[in-house]
Amino acid sequence: LPSPSRLKSLTSDITVITSEELRQKHYRTVLESLRGQPDLQITQNGGPGQSSGFTLRGMAKEQVVVMIDGIRLDDPTSTTGYAMLEHLALSDVKQIEIIKGAQSGVWGSDAGGGVINIVTETARKEGFSANGGLMAGNYTTHRGDLALSYGSENFDASVGFNGYKTDGFPPHVNASFDARNIERTYFAKVGVNFGDKTRLEGNYRKIVTDTEYYNPYNPDSKGLQTVDNDIYGLRLFHRWKSFDFDLYGNRVDFDRTQDSGVYEGNTVDYGFKTRFHYANGFVDAGLNYRKESLESAWNDVDMNDEADRGYFASLSHTMMKGLVFNAALRFDNYDSFEDKTTGKIGVKAALQWGKDTYMSVNVGNAYRVPSMYERYYNDNFTFGAGPLLKPETSTSYDATMESYGLKATYFYNEVTDMLRFNNTTFYYENVAGKSKIQGADLAYRKAFDILPVALRVGYTYTDAKDAREKRLLNIPRHRASAGLDLYPTERLSVGIDVEYAKDYLSYPDVQMGEYIVWNAVVNYGFEE
């Protein structure tokens, strides 16, 4: 039945954040769990619940596809169509996969920087089980979790709730108020197995939030943003001989109110994929249909039927002596933009001088069509209509070598007609020419057998400039992270993590210095 990405058969550079790490570090949201990755830079406009962003190897959040159980979370009510991770709770998350480099050959538009794939738990124990927790802290902070599940050979179900509230702290040096944040998440997952070859699975998640924020255009009053998102997914999987058949339908409804602005949007995505297994690999082929809509009470805007029809095929082939070859090709037919063909090829070779030693090389191209909000903003909020926007295209190259836990990567991204907000003219525009984002990662992970210690260190250098040789915002040239986990006894563990960044620009082109963030956690397990 379906499983997370088969890492050994993929040539892309992939990082997996496991369920053990998520539990041990006590992360609350997906955004928090990504902070420790050296090639991921997180930004947030204040404390819990405040708007956030991230870059992956210098590629912006809108150039990265975020999925949960195969459901894309692109939000048409957000400014550039990106997924809002600051409210995505981890209560039922099993693991997070970060797939780096251009992936539009498989996932289509918006995958120029990579894909973040979130996998949730399925009831694993037979019979009924329950777990929950309570937390309290400074700033009148409260958190509660409750999950119930039932599992059997042919049926499994899990339901749960996560609640979080904090009175917060001032989100800006000029703010005279504390930024309150309230979040509620409801989730359910039901699966029915018809024998050992067929499975029907349904997912539902509801996220409701109320967040106060600092409004720079009206500093004497606080802004209020409410979010009400509903995520639905239905999937039918069947295995017949050497073929896997996967039929799915997803829908996400977004409802966001920001002060007097009301925005409603939704995405509908359904399709079919088949995988043929053979002795040395597998071939995937499929098609999908995706439609977005956006409505706003401001200017009586109604943008419907923005559809994309995609057709794709990919290959993973393992040759003699551990040589893996990947290829992907996709054709997209858009309602409002020119059709586009994207693809990717990669090679990974196992090297003979050590266990888990390999070298990989990947090249791919990607496409990002302007978000509905970007086009809506240019038509309604500028002094006269803003410029007509066209898609940006990108090409990505990377080379990785790993041996004995040490991994080194060089990456180079070239983006043509990059979409950016102009802080002078106050509209979105294409930056004509080629913007270049390049750099290198160095990471080391090691669990020592003699000492009960696990070590993680990483460093990323990034040089990111647009076609006018102007540095891109919120991308540090130097970023490092480290983690040390100690296990003095079978029940006791101590974890220390540190994050460091230096030399980056913040809005509006202000040179920033450096920062260091420390985190520590102690766990002690009692006998059941």
Side-chain angles (χ1 to χ4, degrees):
L1 293 180
S3 62
S5 296
R6 300 172 60 176
L7 304 185
K8 291 184 179 181
S9 62
L10 300 178
T11 62
S12 296
D13 184 13
I14 300 176
T15 297
V16 177
I17 305 175
T18 65
S19 57
E20 181 181 357
E21 182 177 352
L22 294 174
R23 289 193 300 268
Q24 184 172 312
K25 299 297 184 182
H26 297 280
Y27 299 126
R28 188 181 68 85
T29 65
V30 171
L31 189 72
E32 290 181 4
S33 71
L34 299 177
R35 288 187 182 276
Q37 305 301 317
D39 44 14
L40 259 161
Q41 168 67 10
I42 304 296
T43 58
Q44 192 165 13
N45 295 333
Q50 299 296 309
S51 60
S52 68
F54 65 91
T55 60
L56 176 57
R57 289 182 175 172
M59 299 291 276
K61 56 187 179 296
E62 61 267 18
Q63 296 163 317
V64 178
V65 168
V66 178
M67 300 187 297
I68 182 166
D69 289 331
I71 306 170
R72 288 179 62 141
L73 300 181
D74 308 346
D75 183 352
T77 71
S78 66
T79 53
T80 54
Y82 60 90
M84 296 183 180
L85 301 182
E86 59 268 19
H87 300 303
L88 196 56
L90 286 171
S91 301
D92 62 330
V93 172
K94 178 180 180 181
Q95 69 179 40
I96 301 173
E97 302 169 355
I98 306 167
I99 309 170
K100 304 163 192 176
Q103 305 293 331
S104 284
V106 177
W107 285 283
S109 180
D110 307 334
V115 173
I116 297 176
N117 181 38
I118 303 164
V119 183
T120 64
E121 294 278 8
T122 298
R124 292 175 295 177
K125 293 183 178 180
E126 290 194 3
F128 288 97
S129 63
N131 64 76
L134 295 172
M135 181 195 78
N138 291 339
Y139 304 102
T140 320
T141 300
H142 306 283
R143 173 184 169 185
D145 298 272
L146 177 63
L148 306 173
S149 67
Y150 172 80
S152 67
E153 182 179 356
N154 297 319
F155 177 80
D156 54 81
S158 58
V159 296
F161 167 79
N162 172 273
Y164 178 82
K165 178 185 180 297
T166 181
D167 286 346
F169 50 85
H172 191 276
V173 292
N174 295 326
S176 59
F177 64 92
D178 295 336
R180 184 189 62 172
N181 179 52
I182 303 174
E183 302 176 10
R184 287 86 70 200
T185 300
Y186 311 85
F187 55 88
K189 190 173 186 178
V190 178
V192 180
N193 299 323
F194 303 92
D196 60 353
K197 297 183 182 299
T198 305
R199 177 176 174 83
L200 178 65
E201 184 175 278
N203 288 275
Y204 173 70
R205 180 177 297 263
K206 186 178 185 66
I207 302 171
V208 184
T209 71
D210 299 277
T211 306
E212 296 172 345
Y213 68 96
Y214 175 76
N215 185 348
Y217 301 104
N218 190 5
D220 296 329
S221 64
K222 55 188 172 185
L224 176 64
Q225 176 177 267
T226 64
V227 170
D228 189 343
N229 295 346
D230 292 280
I231 303 169
Y232 309 86
L234 185 64
R235 186 173 301 267
L236 176 64
F237 178 87
H238 178 69
R239 173 167 293 168
W240 178 71
K241 296 184 178 180
S242 298
F243 290 89
D244 294 340
F245 300 98
D246 193 357
L247 181 66
Y248 65 89
N250 306 316
R251 180 184 174 97
V252 186
D253 292 326
F254 302 92
D255 190 343
R256 179 168 63 89
T257 301
Q258 188 162 335
D259 298 329
S260 57
V262 180
Y263 305 88
E264 294 182 358
N266 66 69
T267 62
V268 177
D269 183 15
Y270 55 86
F272 170 78
K273 184 176 76 172
T274 183
R275 170 171 291 182
F276 171 68
H277 300 265
Y278 63 97
N280 295 319
F282 56 88
V283 177
D284 288 337
L287 53 89
N288 76 288
Y289 175 86
R290 188 166 180 269
K291 185 181 75 171
E292 289 187 348
S293 68
L294 171 65
E295 298 179 16
S296 174
W298 288 9
N299 298 72
D300 194 25
V301 170
D302 187 353
M303 300 175 67
N304 285 305
D305 300 326
E306 295 287 328
D308 166 30
R309 289 154 287 273
Y311 312 87
F312 58 90
S314 63
L315 166 71
S316 175
H317 182 77
T318 302
M319 306 177 192
M320 297 175 58
K321 298 182 179 179
L323 182 64
V324 178
F325 174 76
N326 284 181
L329 188 66
R330 180 183 175 102
F331 173 77
D332 284 279
N333 171 242
Y334 297 95
D335 279 349
S336 302
F337 300 96
E338 292 183 359
D339 299 342
K340 184 65 175 179
T341 300
T342 53
K344 171 186 176 294
I345 57 173
V347 177
K348 180 165 68 175
L351 304 179
Q352 302 302 312
W353 62 73
K355 182 182 178 182
D356 296 327
T357 299
Y358 73 90
M359 181 174 183
S360 66
V361 177
N362 296 276
V363 58
N365 68 327
Y367 201 53
R368 185 175 92 81
V369 301
S371 72
M372 302 192 79
Y373 187 94
E374 286 170 322
R375 287 174 277 159
Y376 160 63
Y377 186 97
N378 274 20
D379 289 343
N380 295 279
F381 287 94
T382 55
F383 301 102
L388 293 176
L389 300 176
K390 56 185 178 181
E392 66 179 33
T393 60
S394 61
T395 304
S396 171
Y397 307 86
D398 66 66
T400 300
M401 178 176 287
E402 182 170 1
S403 181
Y404 296 100
L406 179 65
K407 181 166 69 174
T409 300
Y410 169 77
F411 57 88
Y412 178 88
N413 301 297
E414 195 171 76
V415 184
T416 302
D417 297 323
M418 177 179 283
L419 288 158
R420 280 292 180 265
F421 185 75
N422 189 313
N423 296 318
T424 302
T425 60
F426 294 101
Y427 54 66
Y428 291 92
E429 66 179 9
N430 291 100
V431 180
K434 295 182 178 180
S435 304
K436 298 178 181 179
I437 303 168
Q438 58 186 320
D441 293 334
L442 190 64
Y444 179 71
R445 285 178 176 266
K446 180 68 174 179
F448 296 93
D449 296 329
I450 299 177
L451 299 174
V453 174
L455 175 67
R456 172 184 57 81
V457 294
Y459 167 77
T460 300
Y461 171 81
T462 308
D463 181 34
K465 296 178 181 177
D466 67 18
R468 298 167 295 198
E469 291 296 315
K470 185 178 179 180
R471 287 186 61 187
L472 300 179
L473 301 182
N474 298 317
I475 304 176
R477 275 207 173 102
H478 307 280
R479 189 169 186 277
S481 63
L484 182 66
D485 296 310
L486 310 174
Y487 303 90
T489 70
E490 291 184 359
R491 299 183 186 178
L492 176 65
S493 67
V494 180
I496 302 172
D497 294 275
V498 61
E499 174 191 349
Y500 171 81
K502 179 181 179 181
D503 189 8
Y504 64 100
L505 299 181
S506 185
Y507 176 84
D509 299 332
V510 176
Q511 176 67 48
M512 307 298 289
E514 59 186 359
Y515 68 80
I516 299 176
V517 178
W518 292 83
N519 289 290
V521 62
V522 177
N523 294 289
Y524 185 84
F526 296 92
E527 286 186 323
E528 296 184 357

